[in-house]
Amino acid sequence: MDLAKAILYHASSTPNHIALIYEENTYTYEQLNKEINRFSHGLHMKGIKKGDKVSLYLKNSDQFVIAAYALWRIGAVVVPINFRLTAPELAYILEQSDSILVLSDAELIETARQAVQLVEHDLEIAVVGEDAPHVVNWQSYRSDDVNEPNIALLPTDDAQILYTSGTTGKPKGALFTHSNIIAVNMSVTYMTKLQRDDVYLLIAPAFHSAGLNMIVTTTLFAGATLVVQRDFHPVEAQKAVQQHKVTMFFAVPAMYNAILQVPKGMFNLSSIRACNYGAAPMSPSLIEASIDYFGTDQFYNCCGLTEAGPGGVLLLPEEHATKIGAAGKAMPFLNARVVRDDFTDVAPGEVGEFILRSSSIMKEYYKKPEETQKAFRNGWLLTGDLATIDEEGYITLVDRKKDMIISGGENIYSVEVEQVLDAHPDVVEVAIVGLPDTQWGEVVTAIVVLKEGATLTLEEIQAFCREHLAGYKVPRHMIEVAILPRNASGKVLKYHLREQLTKQ
């Protein structure tokens, strides 16, 4: 089976069921399947063949979905790219991925032009939306042929290259086959009980693994309805929930924070049956506030990794009562462990590395054999995340290996300190990093975003932390900022913070 087969199946079994809604455009499964075929034939006629890499430098839209499936239907490899990247950053991915075509939104076309000029191999641009000078329009790839292309595909064929968040440097391209992504679809469908009558709202970026594989491809795999929003706005998201009777959505913690700023009760959110969160740690206090806001306790902690599809561990709604703050247990059809350096399992409460094994895990880092070799050991993916596991098998992530702070010989895990400060009434969000210190090696430093009009001193933060933390974990420095730097998946770029603060 390949990814596009799901659309064909639902077009045959439930042709009139709504598949996709974007702004004023609505597609049944039959209509969506025909539109995908039109572009599949057009792409093939213009020389795109099986194995070719095509980059999608696009915001969320119906055309993003159609383009991805049209490319998969002819065996091409989809390379979704963060639309926030600068021209040099975009050029790096276009070059490294061997892309021969990039689809760009009209509003992004100048950045795309600049990036293409920096790429050494031949590369074409097609604009999605309004025409741009000297660039072919994406609609020119649309043919009149609505039949299925006669191209043989295997589950083991390459399907997509997802570039990692780059929280520790230049992004690497995680290469996935069709069967890898279908394994994600099966796992998410099973764990969230996704049904045909569900309506899933996409507010996360589709270029990210959660947006593309946990939401877009899984919703369409299950034959449900996908509602696509181009950009995230907390008011517009709630309007969409009310208008389309949305039953499920996924948001990163920063999105939940923004949603909670909208006065409660402005919109009817009663249709929601499941709220998913992940991509970055979400503090217990924010989870509890969100449960109260949405009026449901059906919250799923989906703690996944790009290289795993995403896949990882899951905390079910009924487990939040006693295990809130934990990442959970392995998602369906995955194996998860926490191990020491010698690859033996840690004892309960002991910190080790979180590792994964699953059919959803990437094939390799594209054109990076050394990095690929370092990422695997005995068939297990080494995530680089530090974690603990309790007596009942629940895993809690405590830090990235590279983010752990060593002060005076003591290991300090930033997530633990962040969760304490997240509960402070004047703190909107916080990042904990270690800064160099001649006496202690590193010292704990809190970078905080305060609520509007609030003031907070280092002494007040220290006093608050001492009520919950050992003295060596208490921040020695505090820096107030207006916003924390994040990557597209919502993760705080701590290495950026460390670099900036070290230079000061």
Side-chain angles (χ1 to χ4, degrees):
M1 183 174 177
D2 59 80
L3 285 163
K5 279 289 195 300
I7 307 292
L8 176 60
Y9 170 76
H10 297 303
S12 300
S13 61
T14 54
N16 297 320
H17 190 68
I18 300 301
L20 176 64
I21 300 171
Y22 173 69
E23 296 180 347
E24 302 304 316
N25 299 331
T26 298
Y27 305 80
T28 65
Y29 271 95
E30 183 177 49
Q31 290 168 337
L32 180 61
N33 188 61
K34 287 181 177 179
E35 196 68 4
I36 288 167
N37 284 342
R38 288 188 178 100
F39 280 98
S40 293
H41 285 289
L43 285 160
H44 198 246
M45 285 188 293
K46 286 181 179 286
I48 303 298
K49 60 185 184 300
K50 186 175 180 178
D52 283 344
K53 317 298 188 299
V54 177
S55 287
L56 305 185
Y57 184 53
L58 304 169
K59 288 189 171 185
N60 292 1
S61 70
D62 54 348
Q63 297 307 307
F64 186 112
V65 177
I66 290 166
Y69 278 91
L71 290 161
W72 286 326
R73 188 152 277 175
I74 59 173
V77 180
V78 173
V79 185
I81 299 181
N82 182 351
F83 55 77
R84 301 184 184 95
L85 296 186
T86 63
E89 292 171 322
L90 173 59
Y92 169 79
I93 292 177
L94 296 175
E95 184 80 58
Q96 208 276 332
S97 66
D98 296 320
S99 290
I100 64 168
L101 171 67
V102 56
L103 305 186
S104 171
D105 279 325
E107 65 191 87
L108 305 171
I109 195 66
E110 288 310 313
T111 303
R113 285 183 198 271
Q114 294 169 29
V116 168
Q117 291 174 358
L118 299 173
V119 176
E120 294 185 2
H121 65 263
D122 291 337
L123 175 63
E124 294 186 10
I125 309 176
V127 65
V128 177
E130 296 179 1
D131 286 336
H134 313 298
V135 178
V136 65
N137 195 290
W138 164 238
Q139 289 301 313
S140 70
Y141 285 82
R142 189 176 186 268
S143 74
D144 295 325
D145 194 340
V146 297
N147 297 306
E148 307 303 312
N150 186 24
I151 297 173
L153 300 179
L154 297 173
T156 52
D157 286 337
D158 295 339
Q160 59 183 230
I161 303 176
L162 297 179
Y163 278 81
T164 58
S165 304
T167 56
T168 57
K170 275 195 179 296
K172 298 185 288 289
L175 177 62
F176 294 90
T177 65
H178 286 263
S179 62
N180 291 147
I181 306 308
I182 290 169
V184 176
N185 300 157
M186 293 173 63
S187 177
V188 176
T189 299
Y190 182 85
M191 76 188 190
T192 60
K193 304 179 179 67
L194 187 61
Q195 303 289 330
R196 182 168 287 166
D197 58 357
D198 275 311
V199 180
Y200 210 125
L201 176 63
L202 175 69
I203 53 177
F207 63 76
H208 181 253
S209 61
L212 182 56
N213 295 332
M214 202 175 84
I215 302 173
V216 174
T217 62
T218 297
T219 301
L220 298 177
F221 173 85
T225 299
L226 178 69
V227 178
V228 176
Q229 286 210 312
R230 186 170 182 81
D231 298 291
F232 168 68
H233 188 283
V235 171
E236 294 303 317
Q238 295 191 54
K239 280 183 183 177
V241 171
Q242 179 175 280
Q243 178 183 354
H244 300 294
K245 294 183 171 52
V246 168
T247 61
M248 302 180 74
F249 76 96
F250 170 91
V252 302
M255 289 176 170
Y256 277 100
N257 241 326
I259 289 169
L260 295 188
Q261 307 313 307
V262 179
K264 186 178 177 181
M266 280 187 65
F267 300 96
N268 183 355
L269 308 179
S270 62
S271 61
I272 292 178
R273 72 163 186 84
C275 303
N276 303 296
Y277 64 93
M282 187 156 159
S283 68
S285 59
L286 181 55
I287 297 168
E288 289 166 350
S290 300
I291 288 173
D292 176 71
Y293 188 92
F294 285 99
T296 178
D297 60 1
Q298 296 301 295
F299 273 66
Y300 293 77
N301 182 4
C302 307
C303 180
L305 195 75
T306 296
E307 288 88 341
V313 288
L314 167 74
L315 192 70
L316 294 168
E318 59 268 25
E319 297 169 323
H320 278 65
T322 56
K323 298 294 181 180
I324 192 168
K329 293 184 177 180
M331 290 178 179
F333 321 126
L334 282 87
N335 299 117
R337 296 168 61 199
V338 182
V339 299
R340 305 181 181 95
D341 289 341
D342 63 3
F343 232 56
T344 57
D345 293 311
V346 299
E350 181 184 353
V351 175
E353 183 171 4
F354 173 53
I355 63 173
L356 293 168
R357 185 173 62 187
S358 167
S359 55
S360 70
I361 287 171
M362 68 174 184
K363 177 180 175 180
E364 63 186 40
Y365 285 125
Y366 185 62
K367 297 195 308 188
K368 290 188 177 290
E370 291 183 9
E371 286 86 344
T372 300
Q373 187 175 11
K374 290 176 183 176
F376 290 94
R377 182 175 174 185
N378 298 338
W380 291 83
L381 176 69
L382 309 179
T383 70
D385 287 315
L386 297 174
T388 61
I389 188 167
D390 67 14
E391 292 83 354
E392 298 174 85
Y394 288 90
I395 293 169
T396 299
L397 300 185
V398 297
D399 223 335
R400 292 287 297 167
K401 270 189 170 183
K402 294 181 179 180
D403 290 336
M404 185 181 73
I405 301 164
I406 304 176
S407 184
E410 297 282 2
N411 291 346
I412 302 166
Y413 304 105
S414 61
V415 173
E416 181 183 12
V417 185
E418 287 164 356
Q419 289 188 346
V420 167
L421 284 174
D422 270 330
H424 193 288
D426 291 328
V427 173
V428 174
E429 54 184 359
V430 60
I432 297 295
V433 299
L435 293 184
D437 183 82
T438 54
Q439 181 178 0
W440 299 103
E442 289 182 300
V443 290
V444 180
T445 302
I447 298 98
V448 297
V449 178
L450 298 180
K451 290 185 177 177
E452 187 175 352
T455 58
L456 200 59
T457 66
L458 174 61
E459 291 72 22
E460 289 171 328
I461 274 186
Q462 290 174 329
F464 184 81
C465 287
R466 285 194 182 98
E467 296 178 12
H468 308 278
L469 298 169
Y472 67 90
K473 300 177 184 178
V474 173
R476 296 295 186 266
H477 299 295
M478 184 196 89
I479 298 167
E480 184 182 341
V481 297
I483 190 170
L484 295 175
R486 297 180 183 273
N487 63 23
S489 62
K491 296 175 185 174
V492 175
L493 297 171
K494 291 188 176 181
Y495 80 100
H496 277 190
L497 289 171
R498 283 191 293 267
E499 288 177 358
Q500 291 169 4
L501 296 174
T502 302
K503 290 175 182 177
Q504 293 178 2

